[in-house]
Structures are given as C-alpha cells and as structure tokens.
Amino acid sequence: GYFLPLAADLVSALPDIPLLEFAGEAPPWFFWGKVALLAVGIVAGLAWPPLRPLRQFFAMLLVIYLAEHLRVWGEMSALWQGWFGGASASFTQEMPGIQLMRLALALMGALLALRFRPGQFHLAKGDLAAPAEPVRWLGLKQPEPWTRLGRNLAVFVSLGTLAFLLLAERPSLPILARALPLLPAVLVFAAMNSFGEGVTYKASLLAPLGPVVGKSQALLLTAALFGLGHYTGVPYGVAGVVMAGFLGWLMATSMWETKGLFRAWFIHFLQDVLIF
C-alpha cells in the first residue's frame, strides 16, 4: 500500500526541491538516478509478481523523463536555436519550437508506450454530460453533470489563476496592452500546451495506474506528480505546487469520469492563456 507512493515520491520532483532551495540546482546525476530507479522497477517486475502490474506505469514515467531530457537537449542545440532562437528569442519565435517538440514527444512516447491503445488513453472528446461523483470536501454533495460542473470549475479556477498571476507578477497596464496583439499566437500555443501536458502528464499515467490501484489512488498520484513538477514552473513555489496539484486532480477526475480529454483540456487551456 505504501510502496507505490514512496516510489513515485523518489522519482518525482520532490527530492529536487531541497537542493533547489539550498544549493540552487540539482546535480545532473539526480536525473539519471531516477531513470535507474525506474529501470530497476521495470526489471524487478519481471521477477517479483507483486510489482508486475506496475511495470507499465514505471515504463511510462521512464518514457516521459527521457522524452523531456531529449526535448531540453534538442532546445539547447545550435541547430534548434538557429531556427527558434536562444535565450533572447521573442515569445513568438521561441514558443513554436517548444510546443511542437512537446506535442510530438507526448504523442509518440505515450502512444508507443501504450501500444497504440487510444481507448485506454482518454484520447476522445468523452461524454461531456457524464455525472461527476460527489466530493463532499469540495461541496459537491450529489452527482452533478460535467456540463455544469466543468463550466463552474473553469470560471473559478481561472479567477484563482488570474489572482495569483496579478499578485505575483504585478503586470502594468501598458505591458498588458502591448501583449494584446499576441493574443492569436497565445491561443494557439495554449491549445497545444494544454493538449500535450494533458496527454503526457495525466492520460498516460491514468491509463496504466487505474486498472491496478483504482480511481482514488490513480488520481492522487497523477495530481501529486503534476503539482510537484510546477515548483519551478508557473504557478511556482509551494503555492504553485498546491494550485497545480489541485488543478491536476480536477482535470484527471474529469478525464476519468467523462472518459475523454476535452473537459480537462479546456480548463487547462484557459489557465495557459492567462499564463502565456
């Protein structure tokens, strides 16, 4: 019962956080140590029956980590920076490359790891009117259709994200006015980013976890991995981990209960529009 959460913690961003706070960065071997742990988990599943059902989850995490490492390596190459610019590149020059790479890696890595089984992968619109199961601590005391719940969550989560960004970044009105002409590009990149992250960090983890550990633990582990990865992202810090973890849980829940990606994608899309 405790093995899977412990293993997920060890290979998540959680061990990196103290090093980031006190040393400024995690050493390179930290990443390869996580890769080695995942490889050991996959091999151990061949010999130890209790681990066998989790091999696909470990393999999926391994694919994600290696794909992300490949993406970062590619973005640092001279060829890539010649196409999409380096550290001083503008938003519209840099972002197409980042999103194309993330989208390609999400589709190739995740689908290959799951042997081209999109039905297990929530790669469908889903039933948008499916009932959401009650969640008393969220104030949801009886089933409610995702058409209404999804709309309300999109509004409340977007307002919370906007408040965080305004308080943390304090953008001036002239800067916001200068950003308006970029809105079409923002919409395109937000759509790509929310789809790529939805497939990579939610669908690809729910698919192997759900049949093994059940709904509750699959949702919590997916949300924890997604939230911890935002410690250095946007939103960032401890508040960012909590916000992203909660949002990850909501989106993963919507995917599980609607059997599709659309509702989670749309909520995430709105957040990315505000962030970008």
Side-chain angles (χ1 to χ4, degrees):
Y2 295 102
F3 174 79
L4 183 57
L6 177 61
D9 284 341
L10 288 174
V11 298
S12 73
L14 183 61
D16 299 50
I17 292 176
L19 292 170
L20 291 171
E21 288 295 323
F22 297 108
E25 62 179 358
W29 63 263
F30 232 57
F31 167 78
W32 295 110
K34 295 177 184 180
V35 168
L37 281 175
L38 289 170
V40 168
I42 296 170
V43 174
L46 297 172
W48 192 29
L51 271 185
R52 194 166 298 157
L54 294 173
R55 284 184 302 157
Q56 197 172 45
F57 171 66
F58 293 145
M60 191 64 252
L61 274 183
L62 184 61
V63 169
I64 291 173
Y65 285 6
L66 292 176
E68 277 293 310
H69 187 74
L70 177 63
R71 179 187 65 81
V72 173
W73 175 82
E75 290 172 4
M76 293 175 62
S77 67
L79 178 62
W80 188 267
Q81 293 188 16
W83 287 346
F84 300 106
S88 60
S90 66
F91 175 80
T92 53
Q93 182 183 9
E94 178 186 35
M95 193 57 68
I98 293 175
Q99 294 307 327
L100 285 173
M101 179 74 85
R102 285 181 175 172
L103 189 60
L105 292 176
L107 290 175
M108 289 189 299
L111 288 176
L112 285 174
L114 290 173
R115 299 179 184 178
F116 301 97
R117 286 180 286 175
Q120 294 185 11
F121 214 57
H122 305 285
L123 286 182
K125 182 180 179 180
D127 180 8
L128 303 185
E133 295 183 11
V135 184
R136 293 191 176 277
W137 61 267
L138 198 59
L140 192 63
K141 298 181 181 180
Q142 57 186 8
E144 184 174 341
W146 269 102
T147 44
R148 181 165 64 245
L149 179 61
R151 178 197 62 205
N152 294 340
L153 287 175
V155 171
F156 293 136
V157 171
S158 295
L159 289 175
T161 302
L162 181 61
F164 176 87
L165 293 171
L166 292 175
L167 291 172
E169 303 295 335
R170 300 184 182 275
S172 65
L173 289 178
I175 288 178
L176 291 175
R178 287 170 55 195
L180 285 178
L182 298 176
L183 184 58
V186 165
L187 294 175
V188 172
F189 298 146
M192 294 174 67
N193 190 71
S194 53
F195 178 79
E197 289 196 2
V199 170
T200 304
Y201 300 111
K202 299 175 193 68
S204 64
L205 300 180
L206 284 176
L209 277 176
V212 178
V213 299
K215 176 184 177 181
S216 297
Q217 194 168 1
L219 294 177
L220 287 174
L221 283 169
T222 301
L225 289 168
F226 184 70
L228 288 167
H230 278 74
Y231 188 79
T232 56
V234 180
Y236 51 84
V238 175
V241 169
V242 174
M243 291 176 64
F246 177 63
L247 181 61
W249 179 84
L250 284 176
M251 291 188 292
T253 301
S254 76
M255 292 173 65
W256 183 284
E257 294 181 347
T258 66
K259 301 295 186 289
L261 186 66
F262 179 81
R263 185 63 66 191
W265 168 82
F266 183 70
I267 295 174
H268 195 173
F269 165 73
L270 295 178
Q271 314 319 305
D272 281 344
V273 169
L274 294 171
I275 290 168
F276 287 167

